Amino acid sequence: MSRQATFTEYITEEILLEIFYRLPAKSLGKCMCVSKAWNFLIKNPFFVSSHAIHQSKLRCRNNNNNKNLFFVMTGRHQVEYSLHLDDLEFSKYIQLEYMPSDNHHCVVGSCNGLLCLMDFQFNFDSVFILCNPIVRKSITLPKPCLCHLPYKISVGFGFDSVKNDYKLLKITKENALDKFVEVELYSLKRNSWRILAPPRYDLYSDDFMVFVNGVVHWIAYERVKEQGVYRCKFFIMGFDMRDDVFNEIMLPDNLRNLPNRSEIYVTTYDELSSIAVIELGCLHTLCNIWVMKKYGVVETWTKMFSILNPGPEPMPRVLGFMKNGDLMLSAYDNLQLVSCDPERSELGYFGIQGARTYVSSFTESLVLLDQVNGDDMTKNGAKYASNASHSIERAADGFTKLAANGEATNDSSDVEESRSSELFD
């Protein structure tokens, strides 16, 4: 009995899958070089999506033990990308060499290892790109239905766990006098945009939306008349990616009617799988951080921290939260990414500089592994949707047949092994 036959006799497909689900993407890249059967199994679209979901659950379940990563985009003239560990030193985990766009883009959001980029063109069109920097794959989305230059735009990227689909919500306001916004939704499975009936509320800012618990969130408001005087009532709008439904989340009483020259924005609070609202007081002299301790329960809004602005510059923007409780800030005075102990107001410097800074939690995944780089989705959307519907049973069946025929050996083609190695290195 050959060595490989002995291995497949004792390691069933079910056990192999359980092992693969727990491996990070780079380790799976090496496993793809072991045999044709393993390569076939790992590249199956259903396994790719299942692995991403499993890794996300592992990250939430073992928050203290798992390797938590942050994606960082920073730079002045030349933008750089890297992954960092969530430790005291914010240690660099890896420098990312592959990104599909130039310096004119910004990051909309990150979900299951997939980045959504918005590239500003010289003709003011917005081009959207989905990118997985780990497997070095990207796709350019088709143009939205509404392509006019908006007065205000907000975009949110997230995952529909029911339909196993990645979606992009785009809300625009054509000019300042418009009473209503326009809404479009992109589906990766369908590879198309569709126009949705808009909510009756207005966009507060052009900040990108944040994705938490299957919902993208942003700040909205409506003008209400009380005792003959119009005022703005603020709240959080949510769009559930699973059923394509808008919903409202009430803000704390203190934030529903903002005083002049104050500002608020919503961000993620990963420790509780919830959201936080950052309140910048008048002239940005004070920063209050409100956290919804139990997601969806308005009564659990809690003011966690209040931080005084230490200098004459505008209050640094809160980019995220570290697991030790520190805040990540983008300091305006020296254009640095810094940490802040909110209880002592002490700053720590990571040595990362850049006029443009974006930070988000990140999970390594294989999403887009089966894609062709470039504009493939704009031309082959139907083919992708068909491939994505393959089941894991077909992959397991293929593994069994290959092993039975003696093909599950280490003599995979040099071309395939080289491609898999280059993909993840």
Side-chain angles (χ1 to χ4, degrees), residues 29 74 81-82 95 97 176 193 251 265 284 296 300 328-329 350 358 363 369 377 402 421 423:
T74 186
Y81 313 89
S82 54
Q95 186 76 26
E97 303 297 338
W193 294 86
L251 287 166
Y265 55 93
H284 291 197
T300 63
M328 284 183 291
L329 309 175
F350 297 134
Y358 172 86
T363 303
L369 180 60
M377 282 300 294
L402 286 169
S421 298
L423 194 64

Side-chain angles (χ1 to χ4, degrees), residues 24 55-72 82-94 270-272 321-325 328 359-364:
Q55 288 289 308
S56 180
K57 289 180 179 178
L58 279 178
R59 183 179 183 276
C60 295
R61 189 182 309 140
N62 303 317
N63 192 43
N64 294 326
N65 302 321
N66 252 21
K67 178 181 63 182
N68 294 334
L69 296 175
F70 285 106
F71 169 82
V72 178
S82 54
L83 296 181
H84 292 256
L85 296 172
D86 188 358
D87 56 19
L88 293 177
E89 294 77 26
F90 205 60
S91 307
K92 181 181 288 188
Y93 173 66
I94 188 174
D270 291 336
E271 181 181 349
L272 299 177
F321 301 87
M322 303 181 71
K323 65 182 179 183
N324 66 355
M328 284 183 291
V359 176
S360 72
S361 58
F362 189 84
T363 303
E364 294 178 279

Side-chain angles (χ1 to χ4, degrees), residues 92 111 221 235 384 388:
K92 181 181 288 188
C111 180
Y221 73 94
F235 49 90
Y384 173 81

Side-chain angles (χ1 to χ4, degrees), residues 274 291-303:
S274 190
V291 174
M292 180 175 271
K293 288 194 168 183
K294 188 174 182 180
Y295 179 78
V297 180
V298 176
E299 292 76 18
T300 63
W301 278 114
T302 304
K303 185 192 289 187

Side-chain angles (χ1 to χ4, degrees), residues 222-267:
E222 64 174 335
R223 292 173 59 84
V224 295
K225 190 175 183 179
E226 292 183 353
Q227 299 178 349
V229 178
Y230 283 98
R231 64 176 181 83
C232 292
K233 175 185 174 185
F234 295 89
F235 49 90
I236 294 176
M237 277 297 294
F239 181 83
D240 197 321
M241 293 291 191
R242 294 158 293 196
D243 53 17
D244 298 347
V245 171
F246 292 97
N247 55 72
E248 304 171 26
I249 299 178
M250 300 302 294
L251 287 166
D253 292 337
N254 302 39
L255 303 183
R256 293 176 190 173
N257 299 288
L258 282 180
N260 290 334
R261 299 185 181 181
S262 295
E263 180 185 344
I264 56 174
Y265 55 93
V266 63
T267 186

